[in-house]
């Protein structure tokens, strides 16, 4: 089985722009979560989607949004980019929503905001 | 913040030695998981331990969990250069309805050949 894929892998944007990141989960997985990783804050939860519905959202401003499609692929969007949004954005997928399920992470998208 | 902490922040050992890293967390949990991350890449799942378990083994990995102290430890035996990576613990929260994880700050392990 192919793993979780994320596109693009690297991205450079300037302040004020917006960006869309994509995540394709493992085939058959219906739950997708997003995390932001920075040296200062570590790994922080952004949001979780299951069957096209957002189940949970972390403590991030409204500039961060996401969605999930019927094929379980997910996108996250960040509008009005700030320098502090520079980070590694990780997506994880699991089959369902059981907390004991393993979440499989993608390689991440590294975003640099100038 | 419900983010946990890991100790030590960095660890350097010789190949063949054992490496122990500790994780403390803040809330009541259902499960605790350990992940490995190589050089800012994606996270690789290592092992999951449930709140009603005290110890679990997987190959060269041994994980313990003490829910009364809200702490866990990861032991890597007979370390190899390929074990060089950052290690994170991740907990869920019994009180969350969703499936989010709270990650520790990570331990950076260097295994010297």
């Amino acid at each position: 089985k192919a793993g979780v894929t994320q596109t693009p892998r690297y991205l450079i944007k300037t302040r004020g722009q917006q960006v869309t990141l994509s995540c394709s989960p493992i085939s058959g997985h219906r739950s997708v979560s997003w995390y932001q990783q920075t040296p200062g804050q570590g790994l922080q939860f952004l949001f979780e989607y299951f069957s096209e519905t957002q189940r949970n959202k972390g403590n991030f401003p409204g500039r961060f949004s996401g969605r999930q499609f019927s094929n379980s692929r997910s996108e996250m969007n960040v509008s009005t980019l700030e320098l502090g949004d520079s980070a590694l954005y990780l997506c994880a997928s699991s089959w369902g929503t059981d907390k004991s399920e393993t979440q499989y992470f993608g390689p991440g998208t590294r975003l640099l905001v100038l | 913040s419900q983010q946990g902490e890991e100790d030590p922040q960095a660890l350097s050992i010789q190949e063949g030695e054992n490496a122990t890293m500790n994780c403390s967390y803040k809330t009541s949990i259902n499960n605790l998981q350990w992940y490995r991350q190589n050089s800012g890449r994606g996270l690789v799942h290592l092992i999951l331990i449930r709140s009603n378990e005290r110890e679990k083994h997987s190959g060269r990995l041994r994980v313990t969990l003490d829910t009364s102290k809200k702490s866990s430890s990861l032991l890597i035996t007979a370390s190899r250069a390929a074990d060089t990576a950052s290690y994170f613990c991740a907990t869920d929260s019994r009180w969350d309805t969703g499936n989010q994880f709270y990650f520790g700050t990570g331990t950076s392990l260097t295994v010297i050949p």
Side-chain angles (χ1 to χ4, degrees):
Chain A
K1 255 185 191 179
V4 178
T5 57
Q6 292 188 244
T7 56
R9 292 292 310 279
Y10 303 93
L11 207 46
I12 299 176
K13 292 284 187 180
T14 55
R15 279 183 301 174
Q17 287 188 310
Q18 76 164 20
V19 67
T20 299
L21 311 181
S22 180
C23 170
S24 293
I26 291 171
S27 178
H29 284 192
R30 295 183 296 164
S31 175
V32 173
S33 298
W34 289 89
Y35 289 83
Q36 181 197 63
Q37 185 177 27
T38 60
Q41 300 296 320
L43 279 147
Q44 293 191 294
F45 171 78
L46 281 158
F47 20 66
E48 176 199 1
Y49 287 89
F50 179 76
S51 293
E52 302 178 67
T53 301
Q54 187 180 90
R55 292 186 74 227
N56 215 353
K57 189 177 192 305
N59 189 25
F60 279 83
R63 301 185 296 107
F64 291 81
S65 63
R67 58 178 175 168
Q68 186 181 34
F69 302 94
S70 58
N71 62 357
S72 295
R73 189 177 70 84
S74 177
E75 287 181 348
M76 66 162 281
N77 184 276
V78 188
S79 62
T80 320
L81 284 165
E82 300 177 359
L83 295 179
D85 297 332
S86 294
L88 180 66
Y89 290 88
L90 293 162
C91 149
S93 78
S94 60
W95 185 82
T97 58
D98 190 315
K99 291 184 179 184
S100 66
E101 289 185 41
T102 298
Q103 292 203 350
Y104 295 89
F105 282 80
T109 293
R110 188 165 294 280
L111 171 66
L112 177 61
V113 181
L114 301 175
Chain B
S1 167
Q2 298 195 54
Q3 189 173 34
E5 287 188 8
E6 293 185 55
D7 170 60
Q9 284 190 318
L11 181 60
S12 184
I13 59 174
Q14 296 288 332
E15 203 165 29
E17 293 182 336
N18 295 342
T20 300
M21 50 205 87
N22 305 294
C23 161
S24 60
Y25 56 90
K26 298 181 181 180
T27 187
S28 294
I29 64 170
N30 294 303
N31 309 285
L32 183 144
Q33 306 194 44
W34 284 89
Y35 285 86
R36 183 186 75 224
Q37 184 178 39
N38 291 84
S39 299
R41 297 183 182 175
L43 296 158
V44 175
H45 181 262
L46 296 175
I47 195 167
L48 177 150
I49 187 166
R50 300 174 193 272
S51 60
N52 61 356
E53 297 176 312
R54 291 296 166 258
E55 188 171 312
K56 202 161 182 180
H57 297 255
S58 176
R60 295 184 296 114
L61 306 179
R62 172 178 169 255
V63 169
T64 62
L65 179 64
D66 186 336
T67 53
S68 67
K69 294 182 180 177
K70 291 187 168 58
S71 68
S72 174
S73 69
L74 171 68
L75 168 67
I76 304 173
T77 60
S79 64
R80 305 166 183 168
D83 295 329
T84 294
S86 291
Y87 292 81
F88 296 87
C89 67
T91 55
D92 58 21
S93 169
R94 188 166 292 176
W95 316 118
D96 283 336
T97 53
N99 200 18
Q100 68 193 71
F101 287 94
Y102 301 95
F103 282 84
T105 49
T107 292
S108 177
L109 172 66
T110 301
V111 181
I112 303 166

